[in-house]
Every structure is written in C-alpha cells, then in structure tokens.
Amino acid sequence: MTSSISAPPWIVLESGTPGFYPTHPFVRIHRNSHNNIAAIRSKSSRKSSVCVSTTSINETEGKDINETVKIVGIVGQGSLSPLNSASWHEVMLHTAKRLKWVDDGFEMVVFTDNIQQSSDETVKNLTKDLHYANMLVLISVHNEESVKWIQQNSQNIPNIVCFESSPGLSNKLGGSLVQRKTRVDIFSKLSEISQPKKANESEEVVKTIYDAWDRHNSDDIRFSLLVIINAYIRPVSILKNLRAQGFSTLSCMVKNCGPQVFNCLLDPNCRKALQCLNQCSPVDQVCNYQCIASYESPALEEFSLCVLQKNNCLELEAKIPEKPYVSPMNSFRGKDLSHEIAEDLFVGCLGNLDWSWRVVAGQNPAYDQFPCQYQLFYRGKARGSFWYEPVFQVKTLEGGLVWRRRKYRVKRSKVPGTFNFTVLDNGVVSNEFWTIVDVAADFSWGLFHYSGAARVAGQSYTGAVLVSPNGEYPDERERGRLVSALDRCHIKEWELFNVDNCSCKDPPLGLPEGSSLHKIIKVEDLKGSFI
C-alpha cells in the first residue's frame, strides 16, 4: 500500500555544533508540497531544486579566487561594542586579523570616524583606501560631518554595509542599493513576487548578514563579512557549504538513501526535527542544534549516516584549519611536558571529583555555549587507548532540560600536549586537533584550544574552552596568566562568554568498567586544591 504521508515542504539537515555536538551540512531540498514520499521512492521526474542557503554567489562566478579583497572599516570614535564593552575599533582590528586566517588575500584596514579632527596624512590614507576598496563597513557612525564625508567619498564602492549607524548611510551590495528587511508580512511577501531575482537575492543576503551580526560575537561578525565577499566579490572556500549542489544531491539521496529518507519522514521525532529545522535561519547553528537535541532519534542518525557520511551526497570537503597555530604548554610543575603528563592534565580532577573538568567559558558561540558542560577524560581498558566523553545539558524547545553524552577517541599527536580527537556523532564523523594551552599547577583552571572539521558536511571551525573543577572563573590573581594563555590562542578576553552552570542536577556521569585515570600525577597530590 502506498503511503499517503506528505513530505514537509523542505527537508533540512543543518550544521550542529562540532566538538561536542552533532554536525550536519546546510542542506535544503525543495519539494512541491503535494509531492509525497511515494514520489521519492519511485524516483519521480518532477522538477526539484536543491539549495544550501538563500545566499547566492552567482555574482562571483568567473571571479579570480586569488583576487585580493580590500575592506575598509570605519567605526564611531569611542563607540563600545556589545562584546563585553570592548571598543568597536579593537573588535574590528581583531576581525581584520581573523579574516587573514581564512584567506591571506583578505585585507582590512580600520579607521575611526573623527575625520575632521584627523591629520592630513590619515585622511589621505583613508581616501586612498576607499578608492581601491571592494567593501566598506560602517559601525556606529552618527557624526553628521562624518556621514557627509563618507557619502561623498564612497560613491564608487560596490559593497557598503551599515551597522548601528546613521539612517543617512545606505547599504549597497553588488553596486545596487538594498534595504534591511526589518519585518515580514503579507504585503512584503506579495511585493517580492514582482521584484527581480537579483533584488530578492540581495535582500536574502542582507537578512543573513544582519541575523549573524545581531548575535554579537566575534565569529558571527567575521561571518557577516565573509557572506558579502562570498556573494558579491569572490568565492570563500569555507562557505562552499552555502552553495547549491544542483539536482545531483537529490538524485544521490533517492538512489542511495531512499529507505532512510522514508523512515525519517515516518518517524514522529525525525519528522518534527525536519519541520523544526525549517524554522531556523540557515546559519543559526544554536537554533538548529536545539531542534536536533529536542527531537533526536535513530532515524535522524541513520539518515545523516547514509546521506552524508556514506555517500557524501553534497560532495563537500573540509579540512581542519591550520590557522591560528597554537603552541601547547611545555612544562608542568617544573617537568618537561610528556605525553603521559599531558594525558594526566586532561584527566584532571577525576578521582577526587566525578568529572575531569567543568567548562567555565568558551570562545565559539555555537559550540561552547550549552549549559552544564562536564568533561570526562580517562584511559581505556585497551592498551594505549584514551577517551573523552563530554556530558552537557540542552534546553529543549518545549522548555525542558535534557542531558546528552558523546564519546571521542583520543590519540596523541606528535608534540606532547597536542591530540587528535575523532567522533561519529549523529551519523557524521568529526576530526579535531586539541591543544593543552595551560593548566594551573594546583589544577584550579585550564585552557584548551581546538580546531576541527566535519569533512562531508563542509564544516571547519576553531574555539577554546576555559575549564575549572567547579565551573567558576579563576581567581583574579590568575588573570594575567589567563590573558597570556588566551593571547597564545589569538583570543581576546572579551570574546569569551560564560557558561550557565547554575542548574546542573544529576548529570549522567560515571566511567566504563576497566578504565583508569592518572599515570604520573598522583591524584592524592591534588586533594584540597580545588574542593
């Protein structure tokens, strides 16, 4: 008997949170709402389209991928950002450095808007940079004289984006003026019907940019600029997961994973997950992971395993980022760091406490922000094996709290204090490179940096976690050493945000039978240091 269950208008698998959480690519398979699952199983000839985001890069086709991209940033003099009140000038200078990690061809210079009070040399340099700029970014610019000067000297710049600035400054993308869409109603939807395709695409890019910017963190600030580059200047390699793959993606799914697609749509939780994901922004990884965590199911995992990991229907590729390079600590308690000591540092407080570490704060907003993160590091029963199991809490869409637990295989890298992590998480393999940046002699705090990639999801990422035994921030006396450790990660203290460790009742901890803990550092030596 043919099933009459209709597939949702969109089938969506979205990127989750590498490092601790599920990873999926930005996949949207648009289907007519009248198509049912039988059409998939019979390989219907109806036309379908596959897209990875509303963002288009048609304008960049044919552009030289090695072309230098010149960006000018102008920020309000003395203006403060929402990032722990760091100045916008400091935030954007740091953003310029982080853009270089993505591509050495991305050059950004930053000025303040006190143009009338600036030296002739500064004004000359700004005028010259504007002449050659591919993009102008304006942040918190309100001074009337500055606004007039910018209007007069930016007319030939093809891409201008304004954040929290005077309404007299306009957005321009691909040489065309665009407006930020502040609300969606029936009239705006009707007006879109008569708009040219390019205008609609520009509006979607603007929405993507502002949705990311409004999350007010360093990663999304950089992402906003990368979206513009990707859409209107030249392709950005790490954003290839935002690009349509064509009909081949759907064909691959139908040919290789028909039963998994069918089972997912028949499973209540898997179907709810797809419907939920459809309501999230394609770049809102927190929203998407909440959907997956709220409706996690074996059917969803089987779908991901078949479509992504086994058959790579998106034909994506991602590598672990090589930048920034972060060096590990080289000694602990006066002894050169060895692989055994480094593993003991990961094992941490486990033995005196029921966990190794608790996450205090993180740098990556998508991957480090979940409440009540417990880290369990231990040696396995098999000779030379080492494991990492994060236990963390997720706030579901129904308002409840659920615990999740994952399991990573950990192997030593070449340099003591560096490790390779691997996990099969919700059907997708993630590989990560972790570095022990610093650990206090009394185990009162530690800082770990990671870089990772989910190859078949086209996702790469970096981040860092500040940990302590009790989930509390280190003593103020440790601040200088902590800032120094963050500097080695090329992370500013204002980039960190605190993890909610207030309601962490009954975490599902415990270790597998036969596991062992420290080898060199005696756990008795730690007693009283952090309890």
Side-chain angles (χ1 to χ4, degrees), residues 86-137:
S87 72
W88 271 121
H89 189 248
E90 182 182 5
V91 170
M92 296 313 293
L93 285 174
H94 188 57
T95 300
K97 181 178 180 180
R98 299 186 83 230
L99 284 170
K100 283 285 189 181
W101 300 346
V102 177
D103 193 312
D104 283 333
F106 297 164
E107 298 180 358
M108 182 176 182
V109 292
V110 183
F111 296 85
T112 56
D113 73 338
N114 57 339
I115 301 169
Q116 307 305 319
Q117 291 77 40
S118 299
S119 66
D120 291 341
E121 187 66 24
T122 299
V123 175
K124 180 181 177 181
N125 289 337
L126 174 55
T127 304
K128 180 180 178 181
D129 287 328
L130 289 174
H131 178 75
Y132 292 103
N134 302 104
M135 184 197 312
L136 172 62
V137 182

Side-chain angles (χ1 to χ4, degrees), residues 14 16 22 24 273 277 288-296 300 426:
E14 180 69 62
H24 297 289
L277 287 164
N288 284 282
Y289 178 66
Q290 287 180 328
C291 293
I292 294 171
S294 296
Y295 304 112
E296 194 172 286
L300 185 61
N426 271 0

Side-chain angles (χ1 to χ4, degrees), residues 321-489:
E322 296 180 357
K323 297 180 181 180
Y325 173 74
V326 179
S327 59
M329 62 188 302
N330 52 32
S331 65
F332 182 76
R333 293 182 177 175
K335 295 183 179 181
D336 289 343
L337 196 69
S338 64
H339 290 295
E340 290 78 11
I341 292 177
E343 289 173 348
D344 282 357
L345 296 184
F346 264 155
V347 174
C349 312
L350 194 57
N352 277 338
L353 301 176
D354 292 332
W355 54 84
S356 298
W357 300 97
R358 295 185 66 180
V359 178
V360 179
Q363 181 271 333
N364 193 304
Y367 310 156
D368 304 333
Q369 58 84 37
F370 292 94
C372 303
Q373 298 178 36
Y374 293 82
Q375 296 184 328
L376 299 172
F377 288 94
Y378 60 91
R379 292 177 167 87
K381 189 175 181 179
R383 181 182 176 86
S385 63
F386 196 76
W387 300 92
Y388 165 53
E389 296 196 34
V391 177
F392 54 97
Q393 222 174 50
V394 175
K395 295 179 180 178
T396 69
L397 296 171
E398 288 80 12
L401 289 173
V402 295
W403 289 100
R404 297 294 185 227
R405 182 166 176 160
R406 307 294 186 233
K407 187 170 184 175
Y408 290 71
R409 180 184 296 276
V410 181
K411 292 190 175 183
R412 299 171 180 176
S413 193
K414 294 180 180 179
V415 179
T418 61
F419 297 85
N420 298 305
F421 286 43
T422 305
V423 64
L424 178 64
D425 196 342
N426 271 0
V428 176
V429 172
S430 291
N431 295 296
E432 300 178 357
F433 182 78
W434 282 57
T435 301
I436 299 179
V437 184
D438 204 354
V439 174
D442 61 356
F443 275 49
S444 59
W445 65 275
L447 183 67
F448 308 145
H449 182 272
Y450 63 85
S451 300
R455 183 184 63 83
V456 297
Q459 295 286 327
S460 58
Y461 47 90
T462 63
V465 287
L466 172 65
V467 298
S468 73
N470 54 14
E472 296 179 0
Y473 213 83
D475 189 279
E476 181 62 25
R477 291 172 296 183
E478 295 289 316
R479 185 173 180 274
R481 181 173 172 180
L482 172 58
V483 170
S484 176
L486 288 169
D487 283 344
R488 298 200 339 253
C489 298

Side-chain angles (χ1 to χ4, degrees), residues 307-320:
V307 172
L308 307 179
Q309 195 61 46
K310 290 184 177 180
N311 293 287
N312 194 12
C313 287
L314 290 186
E315 302 174 5
L316 294 178
E317 191 76 26
K319 297 180 180 179
I320 296 176

Side-chain angles (χ1 to χ4, degrees), residues 81-83 88 138-140 161-165 171 180-183 205-225 227 281 283-284 286 365:
S81 75
L83 284 71
W88 271 121
L138 303 170
I139 307 168
S140 195
V161 60
C162 312
F163 300 104
E164 304 163 25
S165 295
N171 291 314
R180 177 179 180 179
K181 187 182 295 184
T182 57
R183 67 187 183 96
V205 171
V206 171
K207 183 180 184 303
T208 299
I209 294 166
Y210 279 100
D211 283 349
W213 186 276
D214 288 345
R215 284 193 284 268
H216 295 146
N217 63 75
S218 59
D219 273 19
D220 281 316
I221 288 171
R222 182 180 68 166
F223 179 78
S224 297
L225 304 186
V227 167
S281 163
V283 297
D284 191 342
V286 174

Side-chain angles (χ1 to χ4, degrees), residues 38 60 95 98 104 141 193 226 232 280 319 355 399 408 437 446 457 506 511:
T60 68
T95 300
R98 299 186 83 230
D104 283 333
V141 176
I193 298 175
L226 292 176
Y232 295 100
C280 296
K319 297 180 180 179
W355 54 84
Y408 290 71
V437 184
D506 300 326
L511 299 178

